[in-house]
Amino acid sequence: MHGAAELQAAREQLVMYSARLVDDGLAVGAAGNMSVRLGESVVITPSGIGYHELVPADICVLTLDGDEVEAQEMPSSELPMHLAVYAATNAGAVVHTHSAEVIALSAVCDELPAIHYAITGLGGPVRVASYTRFGSAGLAEAAVKALEDRRAAILQNHGAICYGRTLPEAYDRALLLEWLARVYRLARSYGEPRILSAAELAEVAAEARRRRYGERRR
Ligand SMILES: [Zn+2]
């Protein structure tokens, strides 16, 4: 369950991060969308409203099954994909982008390989889900499959989807994913890049865990 104050905070946070989506170059116009889970509700951006015009009252509230609770506008067309991610993961927030680097990569590659160790923050090399029409149940299914053991996936000829415990965490992952795709493209422009091995990635993940535990003990 959640209170009115918590819901209002989620609406305001979605409006703020929607504006950032455009400013950070992760989407243009009204493309892309994001949501937050509050208990048994999903709070999601509406369809077709330019991000800089968006106000908290435009944000839609639905149940985890997609039934409208409070929606003055049409919910995002990618609602099925958001609901599928909440059903399949422990996500507290989902961010869907139409960012240039990942879309360019998706048209050529089957995955974003481990060009930098920061990719462990996304769970490892990021899969590219085969193209399926926007808003379709097939896209929701393909996204969830590509997200297995990952916190990010690339959608072929479309964009990306990332999740986190909170909206800031999901959003930072979307930024990280776009940066990794850019680094990979730059490396490819020099020649055949060296890619981190599974053992090297496991070592990074173990060290990151160890250091976090150390901070908590202090
Ligand atoms: Zn999209």
Side-chain angles (χ1 to χ4, degrees):
M1 284 306 293
H2 57 82
E6 202 185 351
L7 176 59
Q8 184 59 23
R11 287 176 184 269
E12 286 169 9
Q13 196 182 39
L14 284 164
V15 169
M16 192 187 84
Y17 274 93
S18 293
R20 275 196 64 186
L21 199 64
V22 176
D23 296 343
D24 291 339
L26 295 182
V28 289
N33 37 70
M34 53 183 80
S35 67
V36 169
R37 179 179 173 171
L38 287 183
E40 299 303 304
S41 302
V42 175
V43 191
I44 189 166
T45 50
S47 172
I49 299 180
Y51 286 131
H52 285 298
E53 293 155 48
L54 202 63
V55 295
D58 295 330
I59 303 294
C60 307
V61 185
L62 300 101
T63 66
L64 286 170
D65 294 324
D67 295 324
E68 291 186 9
V69 178
E70 260 185 80
Q72 293 180 23
E73 301 291 338
M74 282 284 287
S76 161
S77 53
E78 295 300 359
L79 175 66
M81 181 164 67
H82 287 252
L83 295 179
V85 174
Y86 290 118
T89 69
N90 61 354
V94 175
V95 173
H96 166 51
T97 69
H98 284 188
S99 49
E101 297 285 352
V102 293
I103 298 170
L105 180 141
S106 81
V108 179
C109 308
D110 294 331
E111 72 164 18
L112 171 62
I115 188 72
H116 187 281
Y117 70 83
I119 207 163
T120 52
L122 304 178
V126 180
R127 302 182 189 98
V128 176
S130 296
Y131 179 78
T132 314
R133 196 203 72 223
F134 82 92
S136 64
L139 180 63
E141 205 178 303
V144 165
K145 197 163 165 249
L147 280 172
E148 199 181 339
D149 300 323
R150 299 288 186 276
R151 269 84 74 186
I154 298 169
L155 311 172
Q156 195 173 43
N157 301 108
H158 183 162
I161 185 154
C162 301
Y163 71 87
R165 284 162 295 187
T166 62
L167 187 57
E169 186 176 70
Y171 191 85
D172 283 349
R173 286 176 177 162
L175 279 177
L176 172 63
L177 176 60
E178 184 69 358
W179 178 80
L180 287 166
R182 180 160 166 261
V183 172
Y184 183 58
R185 175 171 62 78
L186 291 171
R188 290 271 297 250
S189 73
Y190 289 112
E192 192 55 44
R194 175 183 185 274
I195 298 302
L196 293 162
S197 68
E200 286 167 333
L201 292 177
E203 185 193 10
V204 169
E207 180 64 6
R209 275 196 301 273
R210 193 185 69 79
R211 284 174 183 262
R212 271 203 296 274
Y213 291 145
E215 280 167 17
R216 277 181 199 156
R217 280 201 294 267
R218 280 197 297 275

